[in-house]
Amino acid sequence: MNLPAALFTPSWPAELELAYARHGERTTPVRRRHLGPLRVQKHLYAEGPEVCQHIIVHPPGGIAGGDRLDISAHAGERTWVQLTSPGAAKWYRAAGVARQDLRLRVEAGATLEWLPQETIVYAGAQAELRTQIELHGDARLLYWDIVALGRPAADERFASGHFQAALDVRRDGRLLWHERQRVSGGDGLLDSPIGLNGQPVFATLLVSGEVDSDLLERCRELKIEGVRGDLSQLAGLLVARCLASEALKARAWLIELWRLLRPALLGREAVPPRIWNT
């Protein structure tokens, strides 16, 4: 008997649950639970024992229709956690939706940096991402994301499919940032001057805290060829946005911002993870 192909739609669910605690001067992983193809490499202390760095790895190298990634990280009191990735996350063309759910919880006195490399959304992909961040007390956050629609180097425009993202940041239950995005393949906003203005890459950086006018102006003066960006200071949250011609250029702009903002708002010089150079 021939059954409908829809009954055999493949999927590959994956889960990763991380938690960290402070022991003396050291931030220590206390939970690393995984299911399916999500892992973290050995924890690193490039900046000393206070800052625990983990590299999140998705061995398949891409996300296809039906896949679901669930990632959660809990930074306990007075910990400092830095999470990054070894390369771009690729969302492939697919007949079905693929999803990622990210949940970050940062306790009082703790710092969490979420610094992944870019997300590449192929034409025809159906990518839906949801991020929920909970800050408690004086918890500190530095978060960025970089999204590349299509593959310009392969002469591929984002002509079909969709990219959808939801981001909520709360402190002690109070909403600090609420954002919803949906970009459909071939939409007029891809080229509109009130949309992406023909640029295939957009990026966002959020960092808790407030900077003085001098530092804000220095950040605004950063120039990377092929990048148009700006910053806004909100109550307790600094927001940076850019449009770019290439993901690497957007990442370079974010890194330069990070170099300026990390010492001012987090009290520590920026030390780029070695994995970014490989």
Side-chain angles (χ1 to χ4, degrees):
M1 180 175 65
N2 294 324
L3 295 177
L7 295 180
F8 299 101
T9 300
S11 63
W12 203 346
E15 299 177 12
L16 179 64
E17 183 181 358
L18 305 171
Y20 303 83
R22 179 75 175 253
H23 295 138
E25 295 301 311
R26 180 175 292 266
T27 295
T28 305
V30 293
R31 185 182 306 125
R32 287 192 295 175
R33 186 187 69 83
H34 68 85
L35 174 68
L38 269 176
R39 300 286 192 279
V40 286
Q41 296 180 349
K42 179 180 178 180
H43 48 282
L44 304 172
Y45 292 97
E47 301 182 52
E50 291 182 345
V51 180
C52 182
Q53 180 192 102
H54 258 146
I55 300 168
I56 297 177
V57 180
H58 183 238
I63 301 102
D67 289 356
R68 180 169 186 140
L69 278 60
D70 287 285
I71 302 170
S72 68
H74 181 194
E77 291 186 1
R78 300 190 308 112
T79 59
W80 191 311
V81 179
Q82 185 182 86
L83 300 173
T84 186
S85 61
K90 302 179 180 69
W91 294 70
Y92 295 138
R93 183 171 69 121
V97 172
R99 293 183 171 88
Q100 174 181 290
D101 277 291
L102 173 65
R103 296 175 302 281
L104 304 175
R105 181 182 175 95
V106 192
E107 301 294 349
T111 301
L112 190 145
E113 296 178 278
W114 176 260
L115 309 173
Q117 300 199 50
E118 63 268 22
T119 294
I120 301 175
V121 186
Y122 285 41
Q126 299 187 50
E128 299 186 1
L129 290 72
R130 182 176 64 173
T131 299
Q132 300 175 74
I133 303 174
E134 295 284 347
L135 307 176
H136 295 271
D138 59 350
R140 301 184 301 184
L141 170 75
L142 198 151
Y143 165 100
W144 77 35
D145 66 64
I146 308 163
V147 179
L149 299 176
R151 295 174 295 160
D155 200 28
E156 177 189 279
R157 283 178 55 84
F158 192 63
S160 59
H162 71 265
F163 169 80
Q164 180 173 304
L167 171 60
D168 291 310
V169 182
R170 290 180 169 84
R171 185 180 296 277
D172 297 326
R174 181 172 64 88
L175 194 62
L176 295 180
W177 185 258
H178 172 76
E179 180 172 0
R180 297 293 182 267
Q181 298 174 342
R182 184 179 175 93
V183 182
S184 298
D187 192 283
L189 283 176
L190 293 169
D191 294 310
S192 170
I194 63 170
L196 298 185
N197 199 33
Q199 301 292 346
V201 178
F202 56 93
T204 300
L205 181 148
L206 303 176
V207 57
S208 57
E210 298 182 17
V211 299
D212 59 39
S213 58
D214 289 342
L215 180 54
L216 185 60
E217 190 58 32
R218 287 173 61 197
C219 291
R220 287 173 169 163
E221 289 174 352
L222 284 174
K223 301 298 181 186
I224 302 289
E225 183 181 357
V227 177
R228 191 185 78 190
D230 207 344
L231 297 89
S232 298
Q233 177 67 72
L234 307 179
L237 192 67
L238 184 65
V239 181
R241 301 275 208 182
C242 81
L243 296 175
S245 58
E246 297 178 18
L248 288 178
K249 293 180 177 181
R251 182 155 65 97
W253 186 73
L254 292 181
I255 290 172
E256 291 306 308
L257 283 179
W258 179 62
R259 291 183 191 274
L260 290 172
L261 295 171
R262 196 183 198 232
L265 293 175
L266 304 185
R268 187 180 287 270
E269 295 296 319
V271 179
R274 292 181 62 186
I275 194 69
W276 291 354
N277 297 323
T278 60

